[in-house]
């Protein structure tokens, strides 16, 4: 067992395919297949079940997976620490909510890339649940998520405070009228989005328990569907401010218990804090 074997194992487990893992790792499928088979022979166990659609990780593989990610990250941290002379440089992988990316990150990322051009910054988007999982599995260096997030392995700091609003079509002047709808649709990101969970709580408090979700992948599509009267959603006021000012949607204030949400920057406690990450954290401090 060596680091390259573990890297291949993690990629196959995450992608569910030897072929896709080979493409990501810039190697041939036969090499991945042979290395995984050799690893299984060395351990005396099957890490994957092979089938026509790819592979499925086994119970022993699931138990081994966190260690593979940890060891791979530890080796990467050792390499980064050896090369870190105090000048921010090298790769930095940051995750973010779609809403935070759209309305908050442009000036922060612009300032960071101008100040530290040697840092290879990559930003990906996802739901809070996805981003927490990717961070815990050592696939991200840090992430902007919606609070609260409680985990013993994570450090967190508040970066922004957002006001959430119930977003409806312009024809809805009083949110209480939604209780008279036959079947209300909620326009949401996929499961794991914290705003989706909060919307369910808001509607439940209004006595609406039968709303049917329509999952979409972009803010523009969500706002367009709400404007057309397809359903309702819950978003930060800043996200819908322009659409509301144009009369395309109505933004309804919420009770205080639901109105405010913290956007946190989270990272693992057990990873090396590079000069690039330290500079990023300092810039985040200026946003609060």
């Amino acid at each position: 067992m060596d680091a390259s074997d573990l890297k291949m194992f993690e990629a196959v487990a995450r992608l569910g395919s030897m072929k896709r893992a080979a493409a990501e790792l810039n190697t041939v499928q036969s090499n991945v297949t042979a290395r995984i088979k050799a690893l299984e022979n060395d351990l005396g166990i099957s890490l994957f079940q092979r089938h026509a659609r790819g592979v499925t990780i086994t119970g022993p593989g699931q138990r081994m997976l966190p260690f593979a990610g940890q060891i791979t990250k530890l080796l990467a941290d050792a390499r980064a620490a050896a090369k870190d002379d105090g000048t921010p440089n090298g790769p930095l992988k940051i995750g973010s909510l779609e809403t935070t990316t759209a309305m908050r990150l442009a000036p922060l990322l612009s300032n960071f890339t101008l100040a530290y051009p040697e840092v290879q910054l990559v930003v990906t988007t996802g739901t809070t649940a996805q981003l927490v999982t990717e961070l815990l599995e050592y696939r991200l260096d840090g992430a902007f998520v919606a609070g609260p997030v409680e985990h013993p392995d994570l450090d967190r700091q508040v970066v922004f405070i957002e006001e959430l609003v119930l977003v409806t079509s312009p024809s809805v002047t009083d949110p209480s009228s939604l209780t008279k709808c036959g079947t209300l649709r909620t326009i949401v990101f996929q499961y794991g989005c914290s705003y989706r969970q909060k919307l369910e709580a808001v509607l439940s408090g209004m006595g609406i328990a039968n709303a049917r979700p329509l999952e979409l992948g972009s803010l523009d599509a969500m706002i367009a569907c709400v404007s057309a009267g397809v359903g309702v959603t819950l978003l930060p006021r800043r996200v819908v401010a322009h659409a509301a000012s144009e009369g395309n949607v109505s933004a309804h204030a919420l009770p205080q218990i639901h109105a405010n949400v913290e956007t946190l920057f989270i990272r693992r406690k057990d990873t090396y804090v590079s000069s690039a990450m330290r500079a990023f954290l300092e810039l985040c401090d200026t946003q609060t």
Side-chain angles (χ1 to χ4, degrees):
M1 185 190 303
D2 61 27
S4 60
D5 290 338
L6 293 175
K7 188 174 183 179
M8 285 188 180
F9 165 67
E10 186 278 330
V12 173
R14 173 164 42 85
L15 298 171
S17 165
M18 303 277 187
K19 182 178 181 180
R20 287 195 289 270
E24 180 177 287
L25 298 171
N26 296 313
T27 188
V28 295
Q29 182 177 345
S30 59
N31 183 41
V32 174
T33 302
R35 296 290 289 274
I36 294 297
K37 186 62 178 176
L39 182 58
E40 290 178 320
N41 289 338
D42 179 51
L43 294 169
I45 57 174
S46 294
L47 297 171
F48 299 100
Q49 292 178 342
R50 279 75 168 170
H51 48 74
R53 299 183 306 279
V55 297
T56 301
I57 193 168
T58 62
Q62 287 280 11
R63 294 192 294 272
M64 180 174 156
L65 186 57
F67 297 98
Q70 188 173 2
I71 292 169
T72 301
K73 179 59 176 174
L74 186 61
L75 291 172
D77 281 351
R79 188 178 295 110
K83 295 181 178 180
D84 194 348
D85 63 358
T87 302
N89 64 87
L92 186 63
K93 298 178 181 179
I94 302 297
S96 175
L97 301 172
E98 184 85 20
T99 50
T100 302
T101 303
M103 68 183 176
R104 292 286 196 176
L105 290 195
L108 188 153
L109 298 179
S110 176
N111 291 338
F112 184 81
T113 54
L114 286 173
Y116 307 107
E118 298 303 313
V119 177
Q120 298 147 27
L121 182 64
V122 176
V123 179
T124 61
T125 60
T127 66
T128 290
Q130 289 173 333
L131 296 171
V132 169
T133 296
E134 290 185 20
L135 187 59
L136 290 173
E137 293 178 353
Y138 299 94
R139 288 186 275 134
L140 291 173
D141 297 311
F144 294 93
V145 299
V149 172
E150 300 291 340
H151 195 285
D153 295 335
L154 298 179
D155 270 333
R156 54 199 177 277
Q157 67 183 79
V158 178
V159 185
F160 309 112
I161 304 291
E162 304 296 352
E163 181 195 358
L164 298 179
V165 291
L166 180 65
V167 190
T168 70
S169 69
S171 63
V172 178
T173 57
D174 182 358
S176 65
S177 65
L178 297 173
T179 61
K180 301 175 184 177
C181 295
T183 300
L184 181 68
R185 277 198 176 273
T186 55
I187 312 300
V188 292
F189 288 119
Q190 62 183 291
Y191 190 77
C193 172
S194 58
Y195 294 161
R196 175 175 178 166
Q197 296 169 349
K198 291 179 185 297
L199 175 57
E200 292 171 356
V202 168
L203 295 178
S204 178
M206 296 169 59
I208 302 173
N210 63 339
R212 297 173 57 189
L214 172 61
E215 295 185 359
L216 296 175
S218 76
L219 283 171
D220 287 344
M222 291 173 66
I223 293 172
C225 283
V226 171
S227 178
V230 176
V232 303
T233 192
L234 189 76
L235 290 171
R237 185 180 289 276
R238 290 170 64 103
V239 169
V240 298
H242 178 72
S245 68
E246 294 288 315
N248 296 325
V249 299
S250 292
H252 306 276
L254 297 174
Q256 189 62 36
I257 190 173
H258 298 300
N260 294 326
V261 62
E262 295 177 338
T263 299
L264 311 175
F265 185 76
I266 59 174
R267 62 181 185 83
R268 287 199 64 110
K269 294 178 179 178
D270 60 355
T271 55
Y272 173 68
V273 183
S274 66
S275 295
M277 175 58 80
R278 191 172 294 109
F280 194 82
L281 291 171
E282 289 173 356
L283 191 59
C284 286
D285 281 339
T286 68
Q287 307 302 306
T288 56

